[in-house]
Amino acid sequence: MNKLELNEDKVLEVRFVGDDDVLNHILDREGGAKFKKERPQLLVNTKKIIKKPEYDLKEDGIEVLKDKNYVEVLGRDVQESLKNGSATVGGNKVYSFQNRKHPEKMAKLASELAKTPRKNVSYSLKNDPEIMTDIPQCSKGHSPSDEVQLKNNDKSEFISTTRVLRKRLIAPRNHSDSESEYSASNSEDDEEVAQEFEEDTNKAILSPKTQAQNRVVSAPVYKATPSKKMKRDKTSDLVEEYFEAHSSSKVLTSDRTLQKLKKAKLDQQTLRNLLSKVSPSFSAELKQLNQQYEQLFHKWMLQLHLGFNIVLYGLGSKRDLLERFRATMLQDSIHIVINGFFPGISVKSILNSITEEVLDHMGTFRNILDQLDWIINKFKEDSSLELFLLIHNLDSQMLRGDKSQQIIAQLSSLRNIYLIASIDHLNAPLMWDHVKQSLYNWLWYETTTYSPYTEETSYENSLLVKQSGSLPLSSLTHVSRSLTPNARGIFRLLIKYQLDNQDNPSYLGLSFQDFYQQCREAFLVNSDLTLRAQLTEFRDHKLIRTKKGTDGVEYLFIPIDNGTLSEFLEKEEEES
Amino acid sequence: MATSSVSKGCFVFKPNFKKRKISVPIEEYFNEGKNESEDSKLRFETYQVIWQQMKSETEKMQEELNKNLFDSLIKFLQKSHSGFQKNSRDWGCQIKLREIPTAALILGVNVTDHEFTFRSLTEAIQNNVTPYVVKLQARDCPDIKHFLQKLFSQLMDCHVDVESKEEEKDIQKKTHCSMDSLSSWYMNVTQTDQGKPRKKRTSSQWQSPPVVLILKDMESFTTKVLQDFIIISSQHLHEFPLILIFGIATSPVIIHRLLPHAVSSLLCIEIFQSLSCKEHLTTVIDKLLLTTQFPFNLSEKVLQILTSIFLYYDFSIQNFIKGLQLSLLEHFYSQPLSVLCCNLPEAKRRINFLSDNQCENIRRLPSFRRYVEKQATEKQVALLTNERFLKEETQSLLESLHVYHTNYFLVLRCLHQFTSSLPKYPLGRQIRELYCTCLEKNIWDSEEYASALQLLRMLAKDELMTILQKCFSVLNSSSEKQLGSTAKRIEELLAQLQSLDAEVKEEEDASGSQSKGLQKTDLYHLQKSLLEMKELRRTGKKQTKFEVLREKVVNFIDSLVREYLLPPETQPLYEAVYFTAAHTLHEHLNAAPRLALHTALNNPYYYLKNEVLKSEEGCIPNVAPDICIAYKLHLECSRLINLVDWSEAFATVVTAAEKTDANSVTSEERNDIIHARFIRAVSELELLGFVKPTKRKTDHVARLTWGGC
């Protein structure tokens, strides 16, 4: 009845409309709504959210058919097109639920992968009793196909007589076994008893094979879902598994750390040197890929000029590709290259470079919105102005905020600003809602290059790269050299205090009064005014920061990690 | 100049010669991309002409569609404003004066289309009601101060002439924006306006035109700002005649959710409903695709993809039209024969100038080849060798293609008249669904069509007649007389149906007298005669005249469909006017970046066509790129990953892969290099958002994605 009502009086009536009606409005009002029963492979495998109104149900039959057609269409398309993702992977592969993993799984897969070239060796399933004993361990959480494959691989492992391989496969394992201790993330638990037991057994046993069996016995925690493995494809089980995987706060991983491995963290420079020795593989194929993309340059220019903007996605750094685009197509036009991965980038700096360097405007603006308005007006007034924006990593940490995206989108919607950008992050498209997307007016291009993200990751505080050591240290020494001896002393005092308190979790900083007291005692200052003057200088150099405590007292601290600070102190002492 | 630096992230490049012309005209890009491009200039021009036509057509259409809504809105504005004028003393008006007249404009969830609606709405109001129209968006108004500032500055812009703009701006900067200053400004303006004669606007009749404030996205405004503003302005309503227009995407209930009763009681709300986006789409398809006005057509797949994006993603007409533009562009860009995709006389002219290459292109068209094969041998030879003959033949083919289209759309509409009212809509409710089915295959082979015909055979007479009448008017609406005989035939059928009326009446009269006669008999006789009648009906099964006629009508429609609704693939030269590359459209409009990433990591062979990389489903060879190996290994872990384990596993795989050149470098250095490669792979995965560092355990990373294998 709602339907009728809506159809009859469309305008000029005050009435309440309930949620159902809104739903009807969102859906097809006359009941022609079609929502997919099954998503095509190419679409995100989300569950249908909107409930179907009742009167739609009678049409389901036809719609299923139509949806199938659609799926078919897409399926065919993918086969036609070379460059659009692949149809071979179903959505469930991409976004299936997580299930509990065996901690050893990775090593296992590694050893498997290590010998994949010989994967074609086939054996009958039941010729080796040892495999059978191995199954309970390896089949956990595996899809049937994987299981079979695992078995095959295990077989080939056992039967293989190549000594070299065997040695290599076993050697790391032995090594790892001797010191492996599995524990939850909060390792103070009672788990430790079990670990010790396990360790003992490990030491006693030499063969990795039997040891693996033992582990199954000694660590029943791993066998979380032995009965469920057969029905993995059922949704309810998936859901259960998901919650099971996420219910416990403990995650079992080994306790080994990089320190034990004696592999020091490399710094950026040595990393680069080492990597330069690696000869890139598949260069011919990569070149071919790149050539394919380069053929699109003219088309991109055309489409940019016709009011579209272009976004590139796909694995691999797209920086070189965009650079080549810039070099071939944009030499005669004004353009701005924006490194989104640069940690100091902000929308403000982008706008500034447009106003100051492109439009030669010297004034300042009250806020970003004003600046944006000014730019927009300028570009609307002068239609001969043309500007190309090349943004590497539009989805970077600094630019992915809603406000930044809004502003860039507004810029890009101007007729004479052309935007070509690249995105890398897995969830990058989530940045944009419908409004932004329509402002951007994207055309998507897949450019999978497989080239390493050298430049993009060089700024990143990567896990294994030595933490940002050299840059702050050198700047610290640089600044401290320019200071007066007294100021240096003041700073050293603060460092020492901070280092003394580094194990104190509730350490806030040094309160100003205490600091003043200490400085006075060390004959570094004679009044709190001089101290304040010094502190201002430090603050200007971003050497210290202040925080207000709960009691309203100012606390001072140095926003640099302790390792760097102690290194700095050592150096200072050497010099003096 | 390099574009990487540790100190800045923006690099501006300005070519030296400042006064350069816009270097390359756009056409250059159109043809340079391909080495052999035929008539590319002409093609690009045609593209632009057609696109401009389409664009203006859609804009016109949108204006027409909105006209109703705008008219009623403007009426509302005028009516509510007249309250201010009367200044009457009676109590009801006094109360009303405290209420801000508000129009709630329900626009639907297709937010992207709203901008256009608001733009034309502003124009309409400015022309008809008041020069003071202000549009505000939520993102400009984080608090009441900004709100008022924006309002103030936009009002100024509405009013001031160019010369006084600068000083006004200064004033605006200095003055503190408040409702007081606003109303005093308003007084000022209206009084000076009275002094000098204004431009010829209807608003000038009024001594105080209202100020219309449009809040484009009412839902996203902060509640506080809205409430404050409404309360403040209701206090000033007598000196600052304000009218609000809320743009609402969801439902009117939102007003009451956002505003407490105390505030919403200050508003006098009237609701206006805009046309639903689906009807809008129907009109767009009707005006742009189901017409011979534009020579350009979409194939079934393309249309499917465009409507699916519309229905399943955004309901946005704008995006639909964008898709249309892209397909138009792609068509002209990729199909050399698209040069013939223009109106008939022009196309005929162009055929005469076709180059030899283009003639070759025509001969290569599959549809043309099919056509040639059906011809007699000597004609085949002539078509394949004689350019002049080919051109003449092409001209006639194009003409028949044109005729085909004219008839096609007419018959399609007729068929739609028939099927759109059937129960359960076997052929779809919308004409676009019917169109899709017809484009895809011979519609009469489908089950749905058969069931539709069956249902048609059960239509009642009045339904049948209205449908026929509609068909008749559809056929008559076209200027071209291709289907003139059909129209005549329908007219005849209609006449026959009408004449049936009279006959039926006579029959009824007869039966009426009979029943009178029955009344006189007793029960036994009555039973007997009823039994007889029943018998008669069962054995006779004689169709009534109406049934015969209905059968005739259905058969007639069926024959029409079979004759005219052939799928376009059957027509020679259809490639010139149909855009078929659905996958490019899908690729560029509805891309799946996650899937691409997943494929690249899981199955590198898909991109790098190297036999070494070929592998079974679910596993990758150990020679694959580092990042693929690291990714594959990390899939084996649960939420946390130990970096040491990971790196060891990685090293195992990688060393296995390069055992051949193991002797060349020392093992120490090799290990270092492998470690470096591992570091690179991990930081790349971090950049891609698969892992992130965690502090829960030393030397661990957290996985950010689910599942895997």
Side-chain angles (χ1 to χ4, degrees):
Chain A
M1 27 74 306
N2 286 333
K3 182 176 83 176
L4 281 176
E5 226 173 79
L6 277 166
N7 274 344
E8 271 164 23
D9 22 78
K10 229 158 260 163
V11 278
L12 284 176
E13 200 202 352
V14 189
R15 62 194 154 81
F16 280 95
V17 180
D19 287 358
D20 286 355
D21 297 57
V22 182
L23 212 61
N24 292 351
H25 182 76
I26 295 168
L27 294 171
D28 196 320
R29 195 181 293 161
E30 291 108 324
K34 301 187 284 183
F35 270 83
K36 278 174 249 187
K37 313 284 140 17
E38 41 177 313
R39 289 294 195 139
Q41 289 176 322
L42 284 180
L43 304 178
V44 182
N45 190 14
T46 45
K47 292 274 174 289
K48 187 174 68 182
I49 308 160
I50 306 166
K51 228 172 113 190
K52 200 184 284 250
E54 274 172 46
Y55 53 81
D56 275 357
L57 288 175
K58 56 186 177 189
E59 293 186 24
D60 282 359
I62 314 153
E63 270 135 31
V64 172
L65 199 99
K66 295 217 164 133
D67 295 338
K68 270 186 195 149
N69 284 346
Y70 182 57
V71 176
E72 225 172 83
V73 167
L74 296 181
R76 258 182 272 150
D77 290 341
V78 170
Q79 273 149 27
E80 282 168 33
S81 78
L82 245 164
K83 322 227 64 54
N84 194 5
S86 108
T88 53
V89 278
N92 60 330
K93 275 277 163 101
V94 193
Y95 308 116
S96 68
F97 285 113
Q98 188 175 40
N99 50 322
R100 213 162 246 236
K101 304 281 183 170
H102 193 285
E104 270 283 73
K105 211 41 116 4
M106 191 152 63
K108 194 139 190 83
L109 184 83
S111 56
E112 241 168 68
L113 288 177
K115 54 194 168 43
T116 33
R118 285 182 289 108
K119 64 179 182 278
N120 289 334
V121 199
S122 64
Y123 295 90
S124 82
L125 258 171
K126 284 167 192 134
N127 60 356
D128 196 331
E130 246 187 307
I131 308 157
M132 302 313 288
T133 57
D134 230 25
I135 287 172
Q137 193 213 351
C138 67
S139 64
K140 212 175 302 145
H142 259 277
S143 65
S145 67
D146 276 329
E147 261 172 55
V148 173
Q149 202 199 319
L150 258 178
K151 282 179 219 159
N152 280 342
N153 281 320
D154 283 349
K155 247 171 285 154
S156 54
E157 182 186 322
F158 301 134
I159 290 165
S160 145
T161 46
T162 40
R163 277 213 104 114
V164 196
L165 180 77
R166 194 180 180 92
K167 221 160 128 195
R168 194 184 52 246
L169 279 174
I170 290 168
R173 240 202 230 185
N174 264 337
H175 163 68
S176 73
D177 289 333
S178 61
E179 57 173 40
S180 84
E181 0 177 315
Y182 287 86
S183 77
S185 51
N186 38 358
S187 49
E188 311 91 16
D189 278 357
D190 50 355
E191 201 99 311
E192 273 174 11
V193 188
Q195 276 165 31
E196 273 165 25
F197 167 63
E198 192 183 302
E199 230 175 83
D200 289 343
T201 50
N202 284 355
K203 273 172 194 159
I205 294 159
L206 286 172
S207 153
K209 293 286 140 21
T210 43
Q211 187 245 315
Q213 285 167 0
N214 258 15
R215 182 165 301 138
V216 176
V217 181
S218 67
V221 239
Y222 306 146
K223 292 184 88 175
T225 58
S227 59
K228 289 207 178 86
K229 63 186 174 186
M230 294 316 288
K231 314 176 262 181
R232 277 197 67 226
D233 46 352
K234 286 191 181 160
T235 332
S236 58
D237 277 343
L238 279 179
V239 175
E240 265 171 42
E241 273 176 31
Y242 171 76
F243 284 112
E244 221 163 276
H246 283 254
S247 60
S248 70
S249 58
K250 290 180 216 163
V251 182
L252 290 167
T253 49
S254 75
D255 270 349
R256 294 187 295 162
T257 55
L258 288 170
Q259 258 127 29
K260 284 190 204 165
L261 210 63
K262 290 176 202 78
K263 263 181 192 158
K265 285 188 175 177
L266 306 165
D267 61 30
Q268 205 61 250
Q269 194 55 45
T270 42
L271 185 68
R272 266 188 205 200
N273 287 342
L274 282 173
L275 286 177
S276 63
K277 288 176 196 158
V278 185
S279 57
S281 45
F282 308 113
S283 43
E285 285 85 4
L286 288 174
K287 205 173 154 201
Q288 204 184 342
L289 270 182
N290 275 318
Q291 274 168 353
Q292 271 177 346
Y293 302 140
E294 274 166 40
Q295 280 166 9
L296 293 170
F297 284 174
H298 279 283
K299 203 170 172 185
W300 289 352
M301 280 306 268
L302 174 71
Q303 285 170 337
L304 286 173
H305 278 283
L306 291 176
F308 297 104
N309 290 309
I310 287 176
V311 61
L312 309 179
Y313 65 93
L315 180 69
S317 169
K318 290 158 279 282
R319 199 167 164 276
D320 293 337
L321 187 70
L322 281 178
E323 276 296 299
R324 275 198 301 277
F325 174 69
R326 190 175 76 82
T328 47
M329 308 305 292
L330 299 183
Q331 280 316 309
D332 295 335
S333 30
I334 307 175
H335 56 277
I336 303 183
V337 178
I338 295 152
N339 292 339
F341 48 82
F342 177 69
I345 196 84
S346 65
V347 183
K348 180 85 186 149
S349 58
I350 297 175
L351 292 182
N352 276 342
S353 49
I354 295 178
T355 49
E356 282 163 22
E357 296 185 58
V358 177
L359 302 173
D360 296 318
H361 177 78
M362 280 306 131
T364 51
F365 297 91
R366 266 186 305 174
N367 55 31
I368 295 185
L369 287 179
D370 274 356
Q371 197 169 4
L372 181 69
D373 284 344
W374 189 82
I375 293 173
I376 289 176
N377 280 333
K378 204 80 182 170
F379 273 94
K380 275 187 179 158
E381 277 165 23
D382 186 357
S383 60
S384 70
L385 264 178
E386 278 191 330
L387 175 65
F388 285 85
L389 293 178
L390 269 91
I391 305 185
H392 303 292
N393 280 86
L394 184 60
D395 55 347
S396 68
Q397 284 289 348
M398 299 305 292
L399 296 180
R400 68 173 66 144
D402 187 57
K403 277 216 172 112
S404 322
Q405 288 296 328
Q406 180 71 45
I407 287 169
I408 298 174
Q410 270 176 289
L411 274 183
S412 74
S413 69
L414 287 177
R415 214 179 42 78
N416 35 9
I417 289 188
Y418 312 111
L419 172 66
I420 178 164
S422 68
I423 56 168
D424 286 304
H425 196 277
L426 184 63
N427 296 324
L430 298 182
M431 293 188 294
W432 304 314
D433 54 14
H434 283 318
V435 181
K436 286 195 203 82
Q437 230 157 19
S438 81
L439 281 175
Y440 273 126
N441 205 10
W442 288 130
L443 287 186
W444 298 74
Y445 275 89
E446 183 181 344
T447 53
T448 301
T449 60
Y450 281 100
S451 32
Y453 292 98
T454 323
E455 197 67 40
E456 285 91 332
T457 51
S458 66
Y459 295 104
E460 207 174 329
N461 277 333
S462 179
L463 306 153
L464 296 159
V465 180
K466 202 192 270 175
Q467 290 291 336
S468 57
S470 56
L471 197 66
L473 187 64
S474 67
S475 48
L476 257 187
T477 39
H478 201 74
V479 172
S480 86
R481 271 196 206 122
S482 67
L483 294 174
T484 60
N486 268 5
R488 228 178 291 169
I490 293 171
F491 191 57
R492 210 178 301 144
L493 246 171
L494 192 57
I495 293 179
K496 273 182 187 152
Y497 189 79
Q498 187 156 334
L499 288 179
D500 289 344
N501 281 294
Q502 61 181 331
D503 295 328
N504 181 4
S506 61
Y507 172 70
L508 269 178
L510 183 55
S511 76
F512 180 76
Q513 275 312 319
D514 292 349
F515 194 28
Y516 175 56
Q517 209 56 43
Q518 286 187 24
C519 290
R520 256 186 94 96
E521 279 161 17
F523 300 109
L524 291 169
V525 292
N526 50 9
S527 75
D528 62 346
L529 272 183
T530 39
L531 179 60
R532 280 205 189 275
Q534 286 299 347
L535 291 183
T536 325
E537 190 171 344
F538 292 155
R539 204 173 290 140
D540 290 345
H541 283 108
K542 302 224 165 76
L543 288 179
I544 61 164
R545 232 185 266 165
T546 50
K547 228 193 256 172
K548 273 259 164 67
T550 42
D551 46 357
V553 182
E554 247 186 318
Y555 288 101
L556 306 165
F557 69 98
I558 306 172
I560 298 171
D561 64 313
N562 293 327
T564 319
L565 284 183
S566 49
E567 212 170 321
F568 171 70
L569 270 191
E570 275 168 31
K571 261 198 179 166
E572 282 274 277
E573 266 148 33
E574 267 172 38
E575 274 173 33
S576 59
Chain B
M1 199 165 135
T3 54
S4 67
S5 141
V6 285
S7 58
K8 66 177 198 171
C10 289
F11 305 88
V12 179
F13 296 88
K14 273 176 122 174
N16 295 332
F17 40 102
K18 265 204 153 177
K19 288 282 171 216
R20 89 223 117 75
K21 279 161 65 181
I22 295 176
S23 46
V24 199
I26 312 172
E27 298 102 272
E28 298 286 309
Y29 299 119
F30 194 84
N31 44 29
E32 263 181 66
K34 301 206 166 175
N35 340 350
E36 44 124 12
S37 56
E38 298 295 333
D39 305 313
S40 57
K41 192 155 178 271
L42 201 58
R43 257 154 58 201
F44 184 67
E45 277 163 12
T46 330
Y47 158 76
Q48 287 206 310
V49 168
I50 294 186
W51 169 237
Q52 284 310 326
Q53 280 174 353
M54 280 187 164
K55 213 169 131 190
S56 60
E57 181 73 17
T58 46
E59 272 163 22
K60 214 169 68 195
M61 189 174 13
Q62 270 169 329
E63 254 158 50
E64 271 167 28
L65 288 176
N66 282 329
K67 197 168 170 291
N68 241 332
L69 175 71
F70 287 175
D71 282 349
S72 49
L73 245 178
I74 284 167
K75 216 172 279 166
F76 163 77
L77 293 178
Q78 284 167 341
K79 190 182 74 201
S80 58
H81 182 63
S82 60
F84 295 119
Q85 306 300 123
K86 273 187 226 144
N87 236 348
S88 66
R89 290 237 161 251
D90 91 78
W91 188 75
C93 269
Q94 291 280 327
I95 288 291
K96 257 208 148 170
L97 268 183
R98 297 299 296 275
E99 288 180 351
I100 308 172
T102 307
L105 197 56
I106 316 287
L107 290 165
V109 287
N110 48 337
V111 195
T112 40
D113 297 339
H114 294 178
E115 189 53 39
F116 184 82
T117 318
F118 281 123
R119 216 181 312 138
S120 39
L121 176 65
T122 320
E123 241 166 64
I125 296 176
Q126 272 174 341
N127 289 334
N128 295 313
V129 186
T130 167
Y132 307 118
V133 186
V134 178
K135 287 185 285 184
L136 286 184
Q137 266 171 307
R139 61 162 183 264
D140 297 334
C141 317
D143 49 37
I144 189 82
K145 188 180 144 219
H146 279 95
F147 191 106
L148 287 177
Q149 250 171 15
K150 263 276 171 316
L151 175 63
F152 205 70
S153 67
Q154 283 203 36
L155 269 180
M156 296 284 193
D157 288 346
C158 290
H159 168 67
V160 291
D161 310 315
V162 190
E163 65 265 25
S164 56
K165 204 169 181 175
E166 287 307 304
E167 66 184 89
E168 289 267 1
K169 273 244 162 106
D170 290 342
I171 296 170
Q172 177 213 329
K173 262 182 196 164
K174 278 169 212 155
T175 48
H176 174 66
C177 292
S178 70
M179 219 51 204
D180 277 330
S181 54
L182 262 180
S183 49
S184 65
W185 167 85
Y186 179 78
M187 290 290 265
N188 234 336
V189 168
T190 44
Q191 256 147 39
T192 49
D193 271 2
Q194 273 176 324
K196 59 182 176 184
R198 289 283 294 172
K199 283 164 254 165
K200 272 182 210 154
R201 280 216 175 112
T202 44
S203 60
S204 58
Q205 304 155 358
W206 300 347
Q207 49 172 346
S208 52
V211 176
V212 177
L213 172 60
I214 303 176
L215 304 182
K216 284 191 196 168
D217 38 357
M218 199 255 187
E219 283 100 334
S220 33
F221 273 92
T222 338
T223 334
K224 185 91 177 50
V225 173
L226 267 185
Q227 287 178 15
D228 286 353
F229 177 74
I230 289 170
I231 293 171
I232 296 171
S233 52
S234 78
Q235 296 298 319
H236 290 263
L237 200 60
H238 54 282
E239 44 191 16
F240 187 71
L242 182 77
I243 300 179
L244 291 173
I245 295 179
F246 292 155
I248 293 175
T250 51
S251 86
V253 184
I254 197 77
I255 301 176
H256 300 281
R257 291 231 180 105
L258 281 178
L259 305 172
H261 179 70
V263 178
S264 61
S265 63
L266 294 173
L267 302 175
C268 171
I269 306 172
E270 206 160 309
I271 290 177
F272 297 87
Q273 178 100 44
S274 81
L275 204 65
S276 93
C277 49
K278 230 188 67 271
E279 281 166 53
H280 207 137
L281 177 74
T282 311
T283 337
V284 168
I285 290 182
D286 198 60
K287 285 273 160 63
L288 294 185
L289 295 177
L290 299 176
T291 166
T292 45
Q293 190 193 346
F294 301 106
F296 175 70
N297 287 292
L298 297 179
S299 79
E300 181 255 339
K301 280 187 215 161
V302 178
L303 191 60
Q304 281 266 25
I305 282 182
L306 284 181
T307 46
S308 313
I309 291 177
F310 178 85
L311 289 174
Y312 301 145
Y313 286 83
D314 50 11
F315 294 112
S316 163
I317 298 294
Q318 228 187 340
N319 277 353
F320 184 84
I321 289 170
K322 171 191 168 189
L324 206 60
Q325 185 193 0
L326 183 67
S327 30
L328 191 68
L329 177 64
E330 282 287 333
H331 180 64
F332 280 97
Y333 189 78
S334 55
Q335 172 64 264
L337 284 174
S338 58
V339 71
L340 300 179
C341 186
C342 54
N343 58 29
L344 189 60
E346 175 68 18
K348 277 185 176 171
R349 203 182 56 80
R350 283 181 189 179
I351 287 173
N352 292 326
F353 299 106
L354 284 186
S355 65
D356 290 356
N357 256 339
Q358 286 283 51
C359 291
E360 236 1 85
N361 280 334
I362 292 181
R363 285 184 189 127
R364 261 184 240 132
L365 288 182
S367 66
F368 187 76
R369 290 228 296 266
R370 276 197 297 271
Y371 170 76
V372 169
E373 276 158 24
K374 277 183 213 148
Q375 306 304 316
T377 346
E378 54 265 41
K379 201 177 173 193
Q380 278 186 4
V381 174
L383 276 175
L384 294 178
T385 50
N386 190 343
E387 308 281 300
R388 217 167 54 82
F389 187 69
L390 175 79
K391 282 178 184 172
E392 277 166 19
E393 191 66 23
T394 315
Q395 279 182 345
S396 71
L397 282 178
L398 270 184
E399 201 158 339
S400 63
L401 193 64
H402 181 78
V403 172
Y404 160 78
H405 276 132
T406 331
N407 294 340
Y408 191 96
F409 295 129
L410 285 176
V411 174
L412 186 75
R413 276 172 219 269
C414 285
L415 181 63
H416 178 64
Q417 294 297 347
F418 275 96
T419 57
S420 63
S421 55
L422 293 179
K424 289 192 182 174
Y425 312 107
L427 286 169
R429 169 153 201 142
Q430 302 288 339
I431 194 164
R432 58 163 190 269
E433 296 163 62
L434 188 67
Y435 185 43
C436 269
T437 344
C438 291
L439 282 177
E440 193 191 354
K441 56 188 179 206
N442 291 336
I443 189 170
W444 53 89
D445 291 339
S446 65
E447 276 174 39
E448 292 86 9
Y449 182 74
S451 70
L453 278 195
Q454 237 163 21
L455 287 169
L456 280 181
R457 291 201 172 96
M458 286 182 256
L459 276 183
K461 201 179 84 181
D462 46 347
E463 282 176 307
L464 197 64
M465 278 182 67
T466 45
I467 290 175
L468 276 178
Q469 235 131 27
K470 277 186 204 156
C471 285
F472 184 64
S473 59
V474 164
L475 288 176
N476 272 346
S477 67
S478 81
S479 52
E480 282 165 82
K481 288 292 164 227
Q482 300 292 349
L483 284 171
S485 60
T486 318
K488 220 170 263 168
R489 182 95 177 84
I490 288 182
E491 212 175 0
E492 279 171 28
L493 285 170
L494 264 173
Q496 284 177 7
L497 274 172
Q498 254 149 7
S499 65
L500 259 187
D501 261 345
E503 287 171 37
V504 169
K505 230 175 205 165
E506 277 169 27
E507 267 175 34
E508 262 173 19
D509 284 349
S511 65
S513 61
Q514 218 177 24
S515 62
K516 246 176 209 167
L518 278 176
Q519 270 172 4
K520 280 173 190 166
T521 59
D522 57 11
L523 196 65
Y524 170 74
H525 275 108
L526 177 69
Q527 255 178 352
K528 203 177 159 191
S529 58
L530 277 176
L531 268 177
E532 269 171 18
M533 275 165 75
K534 207 176 169 189
E535 200 80 343
L536 200 95
R537 219 173 281 160
R538 200 185 294 157
T539 50
K541 268 220 167 166
K542 211 185 134 229
Q543 286 176 315
T544 62
K545 276 188 180 165
F546 166 64
E547 278 165 344
V548 175
L549 205 53
R550 186 168 61 187
E551 189 67 33
K552 230 190 223 171
V553 171
V554 172
N555 286 341
F556 171 64
I557 267 298
D558 188 36
S559 68
L560 272 187
V561 167
R562 281 167 199 266
E563 187 177 352
Y564 294 111
L565 287 188
L566 293 161
E569 282 83 14
T570 57
Q571 304 300 314
L573 292 184
Y574 85 98
E575 287 96 337
V577 292
Y578 277 85
F579 174 66
T580 47
H583 59 95
T584 40
L585 208 62
H586 189 261
E587 220 173 275
H588 296 324
L589 291 179
N590 202 2
R594 288 185 75 147
L595 197 72
L597 217 54
H598 181 86
T599 314
L601 289 168
N602 264 313
N603 184 11
Y605 177 71
Y606 188 82
Y607 294 96
L608 307 170
K609 301 280 179 209
N610 191 323
E611 286 306 311
V612 188
L613 289 172
K614 215 164 187 175
S615 68
E616 291 157 26
E617 169 87 14
C619 67
I620 53 168
N622 52 16
V623 288
D626 292 348
I627 188 168
C628 301
I629 292 171
Y631 173 78
K632 203 73 195 168
L633 290 171
H634 111 287
L635 286 181
E636 293 303 312
C637 293
S638 59
R639 278 177 296 160
L640 290 184
I641 307 171
N642 186 321
L643 276 174
V644 185
D645 287 350
W646 197 3
S647 99
E648 251 168 32
F650 181 80
T652 318
V653 178
V654 172
T655 37
E658 54 179 33
K659 58 184 161 230
T660 44
D661 56 318
N663 309 327
S664 55
V665 264
T666 62
S667 68
E668 185 64 23
E669 197 180 354
R670 208 182 63 207
N671 281 343
D672 275 351
I673 290 177
I674 288 175
H675 189 59
R677 281 165 64 183
F678 173 68
I679 290 173
R680 179 170 68 183
V682 172
S683 46
E684 283 175 0
L685 283 178
E686 194 185 338
L687 180 85
L688 293 175
F690 284 102
V691 294
K692 71 166 192 204
T694 176
K695 288 209 168 119
R696 288 180 57 193
K697 216 170 162 187
T698 40
D699 288 330
H700 275 66
V701 287
R703 249 188 96 172
L704 296 177
T705 49
W706 287 353
C709 52

